[in-house]
Amino acid sequence: MKAILAKRVDDGTASIDELAELARAAGYDVAAEVTQSREEDAAYQFGEGKVAELAATVTERGAGVVIFDNQLGPYQTYNLGQRLPDGTRVIDRFRLILEIFGQRAQTRKAQLQVELAELRYELPRVEAKTSLAKRDERPGFMGLGEYDESHEQDIKDQISRIKDELDVIADKEADRRQKRRESGFDLVALAGYTNAGKSTLLQRLAAELEIGENDELHPDLDPTAEAEDRLFTTLGTTTRKADIERRDVLVTDTVGFISDLPHWLVESFKSTLDAVYYADLVLLVVDVSEPMDDIREKLVTCHDTLYERNQAPIVTVLNKIDAVSDEELEEKRRALSALAPSPVAISGKEGVNIEELKRRIDIELPAWEFERLVMPMTDETMSVVSWVHDHARVEDVTYTDDEVVVEFEARPSIVQQSRSKASDLTAAPSA
């Protein structure tokens, strides 16, 4: 379907590049762009003269949809629909993003989150229909749709039902995270603006997927993570075991952040973002080849999203250094020092500095503790020794006639569990 892109800015020149990428990602054919620099018109977003130009462009290009980069209020959507050719859809960038999400949603959780976001988007528009209907202005065009008095309550009921189902999923995932930690895994999350190269980095960090006895803890492990040059390749989460020598690490790739997302849309994807919020370490991936102003704006967007609830340390990863000169990289490092202290510069595509990043991951993850267990020599002791080997880094095991001494390093939770297992052992009776 042909689409006309529209954008208004208060002053300066309106850039339509990101909206064009989004439109193409959704499958639209961008036929023309209409922009304006002026204060927002409360009725139409554009001024009336520009609305007339927009209507003429729709007719001239045979377009079926107008996509605004600006957020449209319900009444603006209605008013624009009245001025455009019959049958023309009017959507804003948030409705467009939801369409893309809907196309990419594969798992039950992703589908529920998209549905929740769509309903939260639709609710104020249904409320506007109610208001218009009471004034006998029944909106029967493609922007708001027909009025149905019961629809508003139906949407509220659906929102409540979906939130309940997502809460159940979130509880299961929280339990899975806890079991993974109890099994000795550190959890690392990849975050960043969409198309920053997170999926490519995941492939670089990933090891073979053999988890052994812990397979049941990892139903979300995926042998592949798409690494395509398009927006929103990753909608849900993809988890893979990382190849980091000293530790058992699971790395999760998450949905990319987007500028200027309203709170209701971010909140709809809270369940996916929990993988970031509750990780042991967050790698914030940035495309360092982009213009400086874009990088700074996107870092601010990511920090605003993360710092509200994030509990883990954050390491900024400057990706795609293969696309910039050493001088440009150093200049951007200095310019970003306040937003990204001590970043790690890599190329996920070329594999440059991946080992340095792995060392940094090891340093930033929770410190391991040293433990020395002295256990009586019993049949049960060998199962404890085997468990320690599976969950820790064993430095030495010494066997005597009546004791086993195990020296190892592990996460604090693993050390605590090992002490508990050792205390449950009873010495074998003397001969």
Side-chain angles (χ1 to χ4, degrees):
M1 179 184 291
K2 290 184 178 180
I4 307 298
L5 307 186
K7 183 174 183 177
R8 181 202 58 79
V9 293
D10 291 334
D11 53 60
T13 303
S15 172
I16 213 86
D17 292 347
E18 184 185 69
L19 186 65
E21 278 192 85
L22 290 169
R24 293 187 187 100
Y28 291 108
D29 176 16
V30 177
E33 302 171 1
V34 178
T35 63
Q36 186 173 37
S37 177
R38 58 156 288 167
E39 292 182 355
E40 179 180 357
D41 182 275
Y44 295 102
Q45 186 69 230
F46 277 166
E48 289 201 40
K50 187 61 70 170
V51 173
E53 177 187 332
L54 179 62
T57 304
V58 170
T59 300
E60 177 186 337
R61 298 300 176 94
V65 61
V66 171
I67 306 172
F68 268 81
D69 195 54
N70 311 88
Q71 183 171 359
L72 295 176
Y75 294 103
Q76 289 175 328
T77 304
Y78 171 76
N79 293 333
L80 284 164
Q82 297 292 83
R83 296 285 300 272
L84 296 175
D86 288 345
T88 305
R89 291 182 64 220
V90 181
I91 64 174
D92 59 18
R93 74 191 298 263
F94 306 122
R95 177 71 253 181
L96 177 64
I97 288 168
L98 291 179
E99 286 187 15
I100 299 170
F101 281 170
Q103 294 168 9
R104 306 284 167 83
Q106 300 295 322
T107 66
R108 177 61 177 165
K109 183 177 79 170
Q111 291 164 354
L112 285 170
Q113 289 177 127
V114 170
E115 188 178 351
L116 178 61
E118 288 174 338
L119 291 169
R120 283 175 163 161
Y121 178 90
E122 181 68 16
L123 184 57
R125 284 149 183 81
V126 172
E127 291 169 343
K129 293 179 206 176
T130 302
S131 176
L132 290 166
K134 289 177 179 177
R135 289 162 26 194
D136 279 337
E137 297 180 29
R138 300 191 176 249
F141 74 101
M142 295 295 287
L144 287 178
E146 292 290 351
Y147 165 67
D148 180 349
E149 190 171 359
S150 64
H151 193 33
E152 182 178 342
Q153 187 57 49
D154 287 344
I155 287 179
K156 292 178 180 177
D157 291 343
Q158 289 180 69
I159 287 174
S160 179
R161 174 187 57 78
I162 292 172
K163 287 173 67 177
D164 287 345
E165 189 169 348
L166 283 171
D167 285 344
V168 171
I169 293 174
D171 289 343
K172 289 180 180 178
E173 292 181 342
D175 183 59
R176 185 186 302 151
R177 282 192 295 272
Q178 181 61 29
K179 287 181 178 178
R180 283 172 168 173
R181 288 190 172 103
E182 290 172 355
S183 297
F185 284 95
D186 293 299
L187 307 182
V188 175
L190 300 179
Y193 202 86
T194 187
N195 242 26
K198 300 188 303 301
S199 296
T200 301
L201 177 56
L202 179 65
Q203 292 178 338
R204 284 289 177 187
L205 292 173
E208 294 300 318
L209 296 181
E210 296 299 326
I211 307 293
E213 67 170 350
N214 298 304
D215 283 345
E216 71 278 2
L217 301 179
H218 314 292
D220 57 336
L221 280 173
D222 193 326
T224 62
E226 293 180 273
E228 301 180 35
D229 185 22
R230 62 173 185 165
L231 300 177
F232 309 115
T233 298
T234 308
L235 178 57
T237 58
T238 300
T239 299
R240 299 185 70 176
K241 186 179 179 183
D243 184 14
I244 296 177
E245 184 176 344
R246 278 170 31 96
R247 298 174 181 264
D248 286 328
V249 176
L250 294 176
V251 183
T252 298
D253 184 16
T254 63
V255 65
F257 298 148
I258 312 162
S259 299
D260 302 321
L261 285 185
H263 176 75
W264 59 264
L265 186 50
V266 174
E267 186 64 20
S268 296
F269 286 84
K270 180 182 74 67
S271 181
T272 290
L273 292 173
D274 279 350
V276 177
Y277 294 143
Y278 300 120
D280 297 309
L281 175 67
V282 176
L283 300 182
L284 180 52
V285 185
V286 178
D287 180 355
V288 77
S289 70
E290 294 188 329
M292 189 65 242
D293 287 346
D294 290 353
I295 296 174
R296 184 177 286 109
E297 178 184 339
K298 291 175 181 181
L299 271 174
V300 169
T301 297
C302 293
H303 284 306
D304 286 348
T305 305
L306 288 173
Y307 282 138
E308 182 179 347
R309 294 175 53 200
N310 187 60
Q311 301 175 2
I314 297 173
V315 172
T316 302
V317 179
L318 303 180
N319 192 23
K320 305 188 184 181
I321 62 172
D322 54 292
V324 300
S325 66
D326 291 344
E327 292 76 14
E328 182 181 349
L329 175 61
E330 187 56 37
E331 181 181 337
K332 287 180 175 177
R333 272 183 186 269
R334 289 195 298 268
L336 295 170
S337 59
L339 280 171
S342 303
V344 180
I346 69 157
S347 169
K349 178 181 178 182
E350 302 296 334
V352 177
N353 291 343
I354 298 300
E355 291 305 314
E356 179 186 344
L357 177 59
K358 289 179 180 180
R359 286 191 292 271
R360 183 67 176 276
I361 291 171
D362 183 32
I363 292 169
E364 297 290 344
L365 282 169
W368 283 19
E369 294 181 1
F370 176 80
E371 178 67 3
R372 183 175 185 270
L373 287 181
V374 180
M375 297 175 286
M377 178 63 79
T378 70
D379 292 340
E380 292 82 8
T381 299
M382 298 316 298
S383 67
V384 175
V385 173
S386 177
W387 185 89
V388 172
H389 272 286
D390 287 339
H391 294 83
R393 186 169 64 253
V394 176
E395 296 183 0
D396 185 63
V397 182
T398 303
Y399 297 94
T400 68
D401 289 341
D402 55 2
E403 285 185 340
V404 178
V405 180
V406 184
E407 296 180 351
F408 63 92
E409 285 186 308
R411 291 177 60 96
S413 61
I414 297 300
V415 171
Q416 195 69 31
Q417 287 183 76
S418 69
R419 289 172 181 167
S420 176
K421 289 177 180 293
S423 68
D424 289 340
L425 297 172
T426 57
S430 300

